[in-house]
Amino acid sequence: MDNQNVIDKDKEQPKEITIDFSDLTFEQTALRVQHPQLKKISEYVPKIKSFRDALRIAPGIKIKPKDYTRAVCNIIQKINQKIGFEFAHSNGIAYIYNEGYWQKITDDQMFELIRYTAIESQVPSQVYDNSDWIISTIKELLAKGRRSTEDPSTETTVINFKDKTLKIEKDGSINEYNHEKDDFLKYKLSYNYDGQADCPKWKKFLSQVIRKPDSKGRAIFKAEPLPEEIDHETINVIQEYIGYCFSKSFRYEKMLVCTGGGSNGKSVFFNVIEALIGKANMSTLDLASINVSSLRVGMENKLVNFSSEIGNTKDLNFDLVKKIVSGEPILINPKYLQPYETRSYGKLIFNGNSLLQKVEHSTAFFRRFIIVNFLCKIEGENIKYDLTDELKTELPGIMNWAIEGLQRLNKNGFTKSRQIEKTVKDYQAYMDNVHHFLDEFNIYPAPCVIDGKEEDGKEIDPAKDYKMISFEYDNKTIELKRLCIKLSDLISKADTFFFENGYRKISNKELKRRMFENWNFDFVKTREGQRVWVYAEARYFESSHKVETENPYLKKETNQEAQIQNHDLPF
């Protein structure tokens, strides 16, 4: 047969080659593939005596590597149809559907499956020993499967239990149904759904460790605290946040930080939530590890990233943290694969004996925090070493508790917790050297006065324009006066304060930005330059403040003007 005839006959072959399985039997073979689901596929790989006959290739035509690729793909597809499996892929990662959810398959496991299938079906060794052939076969097999089409922004929450799937709509309604491939859920909880289950031990534990502080900011552990000693508002926030972890929506843009000294219940809380969500469904990266793009691959397709430590935050990327908390696309850079962006990751929870020692001084950064103080130190006979195991027996009830929190969250947003708000505000003030300066000199924001009127347009009495306010501090009465002082004088005093107290000097622009954005000071323009309205002790600014209430050259800065001078303000 001449070469021309071979080429012509080759062109006559159909583009899609399928294997005739009519005379092949699925006999169980020796188990060599280690992945639990891929093992089941490998059990049924048939031995093909003649690929030429199975592929219906005419005598004299060379069987090409791509023909073996199609043959192996057809074999695996037929086996999947027989045992109810299916492949899918997303961002170059393979998944197999089995037992109610899509399970990840590593490149090595796929490589092992293709090679084993080729060996058992008697593909020539010179073909399957070529790694390029195995890689091309993997790509073709995945191309024939589904592509994951999750919508990370959906307002519907889908929870995959061991026995069924629960769908919770934004209006709070709940639907139960059997597991479905089309949900593309990549996890399954380890316990069944029980809509009637309760969790009295869990609720009692939270009432013991989440308490209102006394006048000194402390709380003494009590096995049976009084109702008025329990911080119900904060417990509600925790309940809502745990439910929020099962939602794909990031609309509330919050991260939970549990803080406090040792022996206060944080570890028990961590262990129970880990059991509730499932160790396989959580990542545990601290903030320093989240900074590394190759490590962030561990966050993908997880319900939550719950780290028992905050970690070293010296080089923390604040923009990245804000992105993750807001559910924006982040870069994943897995080894040996092309980088890609994803929004399929979970919420952030951190435990820590202390808070971040480096922060971004902006309202946008601090408003993303939910900080819960575990105030009670548990000692002596109050320590229960088997408490975690006891609480784990209530997982179905704790899940109902979390679902109740999610329904309340979807209806009303997060519960207003006065203690959490105070903790976040105190933390922001503690980390801000500008606030330390203002506090040292008793400088507070005052309403702006323009042309005899306050900024809301209300007429004022010129005789009482610069009214006094007073407060008690250290057994002394301190009187403050409403002043409009030169910004340059304020900056000069701030620079001196920073230098004398060992604080890092900040720019004039940054000082003004923080006063305006974080601490609500009003700035005005005058012929003599910028001024700021404050309540302060007049003795500090004797030559600086204005006394006129009607000044045609006094003009309050608008948001647009402030934005021009401070282009990084988030208006």
Side-chain angles (χ1 to χ4, degrees), residues 186-202:
K186 299 183 177 71
Y187 76 94
K188 186 171 67 173
L189 301 177
S190 61
Y191 48 91
N192 294 335
Y193 174 64
D194 180 1
Q196 304 303 314
D198 199 2
C199 52
K201 294 179 181 178
W202 172 250

Side-chain angles (χ1 to χ4, degrees), residues 224-239:
E224 299 292 340
L226 298 174
E228 60 268 21
E229 296 175 325
I230 302 169
D231 191 347
H232 297 285
E233 294 173 347
T234 298
I235 291 175
N236 283 345
V237 173
I238 294 173
Q239 180 185 13

Side-chain angles (χ1 to χ4, degrees), residues 4-168:
Q4 184 62 43
N5 288 337
V6 173
I7 294 173
D8 292 340
K9 288 184 178 181
D10 190 27
K11 288 183 178 179
E12 293 172 2
Q13 296 301 316
K15 293 181 179 180
E16 292 295 329
I17 301 175
T18 57
I19 297 178
D20 182 4
F21 278 83
S22 58
D23 55 355
L24 295 176
T25 58
F26 293 100
E27 296 180 356
Q28 291 199 358
T29 60
L31 300 181
R32 300 180 189 173
V33 180
Q34 297 305 308
H35 187 281
Q37 275 64 51
L38 300 185
K39 271 186 180 180
K40 296 181 182 180
I41 297 176
S42 68
E43 290 180 10
Y44 295 95
V45 177
K47 294 186 182 296
I48 299 178
K49 296 179 180 179
S50 172
F51 274 98
R52 186 176 298 279
D53 294 340
L55 295 170
R56 298 191 296 275
I57 297 178
I61 298 178
K62 182 180 179 180
I63 302 179
K64 300 177 181 180
K66 67 179 181 180
D67 297 325
Y68 290 112
T69 291
R70 292 173 181 171
V72 169
C73 289
N74 269 285
I75 290 171
I76 294 175
Q77 284 183 307
K78 292 288 185 181
I79 296 172
N80 281 347
Q81 291 173 8
K82 178 179 177 65
I83 61 179
F85 286 2
E86 187 173 355
F87 285 109
H89 65 98
S90 174
N91 295 318
I93 298 174
Y95 299 89
I96 188 169
Y97 184 80
N98 180 46
E99 298 179 351
Y101 71 111
W102 292 90
Q103 303 173 41
K104 183 178 178 180
I105 309 172
T106 67
D107 292 343
D108 288 343
Q109 290 165 340
M110 284 298 294
F111 197 95
E112 187 181 20
L113 173 67
I114 298 300
R115 181 179 171 81
Y116 177 74
T117 303
I119 292 173
E120 287 298 315
S121 61
Q122 299 185 339
V123 171
S125 60
Q126 64 267 28
V127 175
Y128 66 69
D129 280 341
N130 187 328
S131 60
D132 290 338
W133 176 81
I134 294 182
I135 292 172
S136 65
T137 304
I138 292 173
K139 289 181 178 179
E140 178 147 343
L141 178 63
L142 294 181
K144 292 177 180 291
R146 296 190 183 202
R147 179 171 179 83
S148 176
T149 55
E150 292 180 280
D151 179 11
S153 63
T154 179
E155 295 291 343
T156 300
T157 300
V158 182
I159 303 177
N160 210 28
F161 289 88
K162 186 177 181 180
D163 60 334
K164 64 182 65 174
T165 300
L166 214 65
K167 183 174 286 187
I168 305 171

Side-chain angles (χ1 to χ4, degrees), residues 67 146 167 183 201 251 260 275 347 412 468 481 483:
D67 297 325
R146 296 190 183 202
K167 183 174 286 187
D183 286 331
K201 294 179 181 178
R251 62 180 298 195
K347 310 304 187 296
N412 304 318
M468 308 291 290
K481 197 171 185 179
L483 310 171

